[in-house]
Amino acid sequence: LRANFSMIKKESGAVNGLIAVLHDVTEQEQVETERREFVANVSHELRTPLTTMRSYLEALQDGAVNDEALATKFLGVTQTETERMIRLVNDLLQLSKLDAKDYTISPQRTEFMAFFNKIIDRFDMAKKQNIHLVRKLPDARVYVYIDRDKLTQVIDNIISNALKYSPEGGSLTFQVIKQKGFLRISISDQGVGIPKENLGKIFMRFYRVDRARSRKLGGTGLGLAIAKEMIEAQGGQIWAESEWNKGTTIIFTLPLTRGGREL
Ligand code: ADP
C-alpha cells in the first residue's frame, strides 16, 4: 500500500484537514518490477562475459596472436567465458519453462537410498578435491515417488555448491531421516557458510552472497532457484541452515505418501 497525503489549508494558512489517498500497489505492478529486475540481471550477467571476451579478442587482433603462449592463454579465457554463457542460457531456458509450467514431471516409484547412494558414488569417484564424503544413511529401503532426472539435477547442484564452498580436507555429510509423511534429506558442508540475514535469499534468482566468488567458481546464481521450483513441483520443501565460517546445510523434503497412501 502506498499513501499520499495532502493538507487542506484555510485562506489564513491554518491547516484544517488532511486528505490521505491510499494506492493499492497491485500485484501486476509487483510482477512488472520483478520482470524489470530480472531483465536487468540477465543483461548484466551476459554483458560481463561478452565484454571480457571482446577485450581478449582485441588483444589477440592487436598482436597477441603471434605469441603462441599468450594466444593459447587468451583463447582459453574466451572459451571459459563462452561456457559460462552457455550455462547461463541453459539455466534461463529451464527457468522460463518452469515459469510457463511448460514441463512434465515424470515421477516413478523409487527406492531413495539406492538412488541417493548412486549419486554420492559418482562424486566420490570423481574426487576432484580432498573432501571426505560421510554417509549417515539409514540401512533400510525407503520409497518415494520422484522424477529421477529432475531430482538428480537438484542433488547434483546442492553437492556441487557444497564442494565449491568447502575448504580442502573438509567433509560433506549426507543424512536422511524418515519423518511423519516425509523424507528429510540434508547435505552439510564445513565451508564458508552464509550469514543469517542472507539465508532466505539464496533461493532467489541471481542472488549470491559473494558475487565475485560465485562468478570465479563458475556459478550462475540460478541453481538453487531451479532446485526450489523442482522440489516444490514434487510436493517437497527446501531451505538452508548455516553458520558463518562454520558451514552450511541444505535440507529438502519429499513426501512419503501419494494420495494419502504410504509408498
Ligand atoms: P551459484 O551458481 O552462484 O552457486 P546458486 O543458486 O547455486 O548459485 O547459489 C546461490 C548462492 O548461495 C551462491 O552464490 C552462494 O553465495 C550461496 N551458497 C549456495 N550453497 C552454498 C554453500 N554450500 N555454502 C556457502 N554458500 C552457498
Side-chain angles (χ1 to χ4, degrees):
L1 218 58
R2 203 167 49 207
N4 284 342
F5 295 99
S6 319
M7 279 192 280
I8 303 167
K9 287 184 185 173
K10 281 185 183 167
E11 261 165 45
S12 64
V15 176
N16 73 342
L18 196 65
I19 301 175
V21 182
L22 302 176
H23 298 271
D24 186 3
V25 182
T26 60
E27 194 180 335
Q28 198 181 348
E29 230 174 295
Q30 176 97 30
V31 168
E32 189 55 26
T33 309
E34 277 173 23
R35 193 194 60 81
R36 266 199 297 271
E37 277 172 17
F38 186 70
V39 172
N41 275 327
V42 172
S43 311
H44 179 81
E45 294 297 327
L46 284 171
R47 192 178 57 185
T48 309
L50 281 170
T51 51
T52 306
M53 280 164 67
R54 182 176 60 190
S55 53
Y56 279 85
L57 289 170
E58 270 168 10
L60 280 164
Q61 208 163 32
D62 289 348
V65 71
N66 298 317
D67 178 333
E68 205 186 319
L70 208 56
T72 306
K73 193 174 147 209
F74 286 7
L75 285 172
V77 175
T78 62
Q79 195 159 16
T80 309
E81 294 301 313
T82 311
E83 272 152 23
R84 173 199 300 290
M85 284 201 295
I86 292 172
R87 266 202 308 277
L88 184 64
V89 171
N90 281 339
D91 281 359
L92 284 169
L93 281 173
Q94 198 169 16
L95 266 177
S96 96
K97 279 191 181 161
L98 288 167
D99 283 346
K101 305 261 179 273
D102 172 23
Y103 64 99
T104 40
I105 293 263
S106 314
Q108 285 176 293
R109 186 171 183 264
T110 306
E111 201 286 292
F112 189 78
M113 299 326 303
F115 168 81
F116 196 33
N117 270 307
K118 218 151 100 188
I119 297 177
I120 305 170
D121 285 345
R122 180 155 46 76
F123 281 92
D124 226 350
M125 220 87 94
K127 270 265 175 271
K128 285 204 202 117
Q129 289 155 283
N130 175 28
I131 291 172
H132 308 282
L133 305 185
V134 183
R135 306 181 204 210
K136 292 191 176 161
L137 305 174
D139 195 14
R141 284 165 188 264
V142 188
Y143 289 90
V144 285
Y145 200 66
I146 52 169
D147 182 316
R148 292 178 199 159
D149 286 345
K150 292 199 167 57
L151 203 63
T152 301
Q153 193 191 333
V154 169
I155 296 172
D156 275 2
N157 191 269
I158 297 171
I159 300 179
S160 305
N161 275 345
L163 291 172
K164 275 198 298 200
Y165 297 103
S166 278
E168 277 287 304
S171 60
L172 287 197
T173 308
F174 302 90
Q175 244 178 320
V176 174
I177 300 170
K178 223 172 152 173
Q179 283 180 338
K180 207 170 167 244
F182 282 93
L183 204 59
R184 180 189 191 277
I185 300 106
S186 67
I187 298 168
S188 311
D189 64 58
Q190 300 176 318
V192 291
I194 300 166
K196 283 261 174 310
E197 64 270 24
N198 303 333
L199 266 182
K201 297 189 197 148
I202 61 169
F203 296 95
M204 285 163 52
R205 295 167 189 202
F206 291 117
Y207 184 82
R208 290 115 147 198
V209 178
D210 182 340
R211 190 166 283 272
R213 191 203 314 246
S214 157
R215 195 185 291 285
K216 212 170 71 200
L217 295 169
T220 63
L222 294 175
L224 286 178
I226 294 173
K228 185 172 156 64
E229 297 280 344
M230 287 186 173
I231 291 290
E232 288 176 357
Q234 305 195 45
Q237 285 183 302
I238 183 166
W239 67 96
E241 291 170 2
S242 182
E243 217 171 315
W244 184 234
N245 273 327
K246 290 236 171 82
T248 302
T249 302
I250 304 286
I251 301 137
F252 64 92
T253 57
L254 292 170
L256 280 170
T257 54
R258 184 170 168 245
R261 275 202 287 167
E262 190 122 338
L263 285 158

